[in-house]
Amino acid sequence: MAILTEGRLVPLVAFIICWVATYIAIQMGQQGKIKIRRIPGLDAIEEVVGRAVEMGRPVFMIPGRGTFTDIYATQTIAALSILSYVATLSARLGAKLYVPMTSVDVLPVAVELVTDAYKVEDKIEELDVDEQLPYLSGTQFAYASGVIGMAARMKPAGNIMMGPFWAESMMFAESFNRVGAMQIGGTARMYQIPFFAALCEYVLIGEELFAAGAYVSGDPQQVGSIAAQDWYKLVALALSILGAILATAGITVIGDLMRM
Amino acid sequence: MVDYRRDIPLAITFIIGVIAVLDYYTNIQVFIDTFTVIKNWGVVLQAFALGLGAINLLRVHGRRITEKRDGWYFSAWLLAMMFLFILVGLMTGKYEAGATYNWLYNAIYLPLGATMYSSLAFYMAYGSYKVLRARNFEAGLLFITAVLVILGNTPIFPALFPGFFNMREWIFGPIVGGAYRGIRIGVGMGAVVLGIRTLVGLETGYLGRR
């Protein structure tokens, strides 16, 4: 029996190359050799929190409906990094942060992150975990109606939605838009991106969400790792163009290679 | 200096991550078996986490009831329904097993969920209205494209003018398909790099501490 699973040789090689590229990018980031473009949606987070402080209204951070055990776990992890950043800013600037929760396994981690952020800013007495991080429901539309109700009652000044979303994304974006909240949406779920694009002031599209945690951390090592994403994309682009040209000429070598 | 609260979870993450990678790429039985056990542990842990959600609901809504805040009766109703579902579920079993639970689910939860879902049509109509206002050249192009797709989706227009359906297919194929794949590739890359950052301990958001 073969050691490698059939059809996964090339993905394994690609994964190893990606690992090496990420390591090199991290090292280059540490040496300050990597500069990445600004991401307006992430730069605007401070503006959203600041707006909430000025208006004396709360700010919402919704980390999506993913869990740690589904295929959207990477998006959930990215969303939690943003949550940590938003919680730190909210504690520092004095904005009331609300994080409605739906995933029971993400709930304790989110609580720990927000508590940690408030502790670091020495504002722990301003945090009411039960009220500010309520578990609404584990089912989609019960959760959606809970969030919509909170938005209608509290009229938040800002709403940051990052992570995996499903049909509720449009409901959230529209409900918060109606109460005048400034919104930043970010998801890697393709069908939800247009909804966020329609109603949010800023949108993180696909891969930008994964870069978010590293971007807001400001850590040169993490920022460096984002460059690896771009290198890899360039390789994918080159392979796509080459594959298309060769396939047009009747040569299927790239396609055959990818199936190995 | 070693920070055990940070370093031990990071070490566990690395080991489990490597096992997951080996399980995916190789046929080595020991990794397949080990990862199956780990996945089962995950399911058990998630079941325990459900209790945390119930406790949070009890604390939040219990407090609202005892303090008689505005709308406290909604909280009382929520807790009553939660206990009703739990009790009936425990006593009769749920879904196929218990007719009572099934009835409760179909008579209460299902219509409420369907109502929320159907309201999406109005949200989408409003969103479309906001997006499809032809305020500039790009928005005008978007508007024309959307009209062609909408007409292509209706039964009558493609029946009367077959070109509408072909145009819709063409928009979905070469134009949308190309952009879609570009984003998909970016998402894949981003997820892989985030995974690597997590494995090497640079991304610690999932630990609940920075």
Side-chain angles (χ1 to χ4, degrees):
Chain A
M1 192 177 72
I3 290 177
L4 287 180
T5 309
E6 199 184 330
R8 290 186 188 159
L9 173 64
V10 172
L12 177 61
V13 173
F15 181 71
I16 292 167
I17 293 171
C18 189
W19 194 300
V20 174
T22 307
Y23 177 77
I24 293 168
I26 288 170
Q27 295 302 317
M28 288 173 71
Q30 207 169 12
Q31 293 161 15
K33 290 179 181 170
I34 301 272
K35 293 276 181 290
I36 56 164
R37 70 178 171 87
R38 307 300 302 169
I39 301 176
L42 294 173
D43 292 335
I45 290 177
E46 200 164 344
E47 190 186 338
V48 170
V49 178
R51 185 176 189 261
V53 177
E54 282 174 12
M55 295 174 78
R57 280 154 53 176
V59 61
F60 273 59
M61 162 72 207
I62 307 175
R65 289 185 48 246
T67 69
F68 288 130
T69 49
D70 61 23
I71 57 166
Y72 305 105
T74 45
Q75 293 190 50
T76 304
I77 289 170
L80 288 173
S81 295
I82 301 290
L83 172 62
S84 173
Y85 178 62
V86 174
T88 304
L89 279 178
S90 301
R92 189 179 301 157
L93 301 176
K96 188 91 170 169
L97 172 70
Y98 284 90
V99 189
M101 299 300 303
T102 181
S103 303
V104 283
D105 56 342
V106 181
L107 172 69
V109 178
V111 167
E112 180 80 5
L113 270 174
V114 175
T115 309
D116 191 38
Y118 273 75
K119 271 184 193 161
V120 168
E121 295 298 322
D122 204 17
K123 299 274 183 70
I124 192 68
E125 72 283 352
E126 290 178 16
L127 178 69
D128 182 344
V129 168
D130 290 338
E131 285 293 331
Q132 289 177 245
L133 286 96
Y135 173 76
L136 297 180
S137 171
T139 50
Q140 183 178 22
F141 292 112
Y143 173 64
S145 55
V147 174
I148 292 169
M150 286 176 81
R153 285 190 298 274
M154 296 176 184
K155 298 193 171 24
N159 177 33
I160 298 157
M161 297 177 283
M162 303 274 177
F165 287 87
W166 281 258
E168 72 283 356
S169 64
M170 188 67 187
M171 297 175 170
F172 292 170
E174 163 53 17
S175 302
F176 283 90
N177 182 273
R178 201 180 298 169
V179 297
M182 181 182 174
Q183 299 194 83
I184 303 174
T187 184
R189 292 210 71 237
M190 304 291 287
Y191 293 110
Q192 313 308 324
I193 293 171
F195 298 144
F196 284 162
L199 290 158
C200 296
E201 273 73 14
Y202 295 94
V203 184
L204 300 188
I205 296 175
E207 59 175 317
E208 289 177 332
L209 175 68
F210 299 115
Y215 184 91
V216 297
S217 75
D219 173 16
Q221 280 186 308
Q222 291 208 48
V223 170
S225 71
I226 300 174
Q229 269 176 242
D230 289 344
W231 298 345
Y232 224 67
K233 248 188 336 191
L234 285 174
V235 173
L237 185 68
L239 279 175
S240 302
I241 293 169
L242 187 65
I245 293 169
L246 290 176
T248 309
I251 304 164
T252 58
V253 62
I254 301 280
D256 296 340
L257 194 70
M258 291 295 164
R259 277 186 282 273
M260 278 177 72
Chain B
M1 200 178 81
V2 179
D3 176 0
Y4 291 107
R5 282 192 66 191
R6 184 177 183 276
D7 294 345
I8 291 175
L10 285 180
I12 293 170
T13 305
F14 181 77
I15 293 164
I16 291 178
V18 169
I19 292 170
V21 168
L22 291 170
D23 166 72
Y24 183 77
Y25 287 115
T26 69
N27 282 322
I28 302 168
Q29 201 56 40
V30 65
F31 294 125
I32 295 168
D33 293 343
T34 311
F35 195 58
T36 304
V37 172
I38 291 168
K39 280 191 282 191
N40 290 339
W41 288 356
V43 172
V44 174
L45 283 172
Q46 197 157 25
F48 274 105
L50 200 59
L52 290 174
I55 289 168
N56 183 288
L57 278 174
L58 272 176
R59 284 169 62 116
V60 172
H61 294 280
R63 205 158 72 177
R64 283 182 195 168
I65 294 166
T66 51
E67 291 174 6
K68 285 272 170 24
R69 291 195 206 165
D70 283 349
W72 63 269
Y73 35 84
F74 293 124
S75 296
W77 179 248
L78 184 144
L79 292 184
M81 292 309 288
M82 188 176 88
F83 282 117
L84 178 70
F85 269 82
I86 291 172
L87 277 175
V88 172
L90 288 175
M91 286 162 63
T92 66
K94 66 175 194 175
Y95 301 130
E96 298 85 1
T100 316
Y101 189 94
N102 231 353
W103 182 85
L104 275 174
Y105 186 86
N106 288 335
I108 298 173
Y109 180 75
L110 217 59
L112 288 172
T115 306
M116 280 301 293
Y117 190 53
S118 55
S119 71
L120 197 59
F122 299 100
Y123 286 106
M124 289 179 84
Y126 180 73
S128 309
Y129 168 73
K130 284 201 75 169
V131 170
L132 297 178
R133 279 179 295 180
R135 287 161 297 188
N136 50 39
F137 179 67
E138 288 89 349
L141 281 182
L142 188 67
F143 175 75
I144 293 166
T145 312
V147 168
L148 290 174
V149 170
I150 290 167
L151 292 178
N153 273 336
T154 57
I156 192 159
F157 274 91
L160 291 174
F161 312 101
F164 268 115
F165 188 73
N166 294 339
M167 199 173 288
R168 174 192 171 279
E169 290 298 291
W170 183 77
I171 290 167
F172 271 103
I175 296 181
V176 177
Y180 185 89
R181 286 178 189 177
I183 298 175
R184 282 288 299 258
I185 290 170
V187 166
M189 300 302 153
V192 170
V193 172
L194 180 82
I196 292 171
R197 273 209 308 270
T198 305
L199 282 182
V200 299
L202 280 176
E203 190 82 41
T204 54
Y206 66 97
L207 290 176
R209 52 183 33 247
R210 291 161 298 164

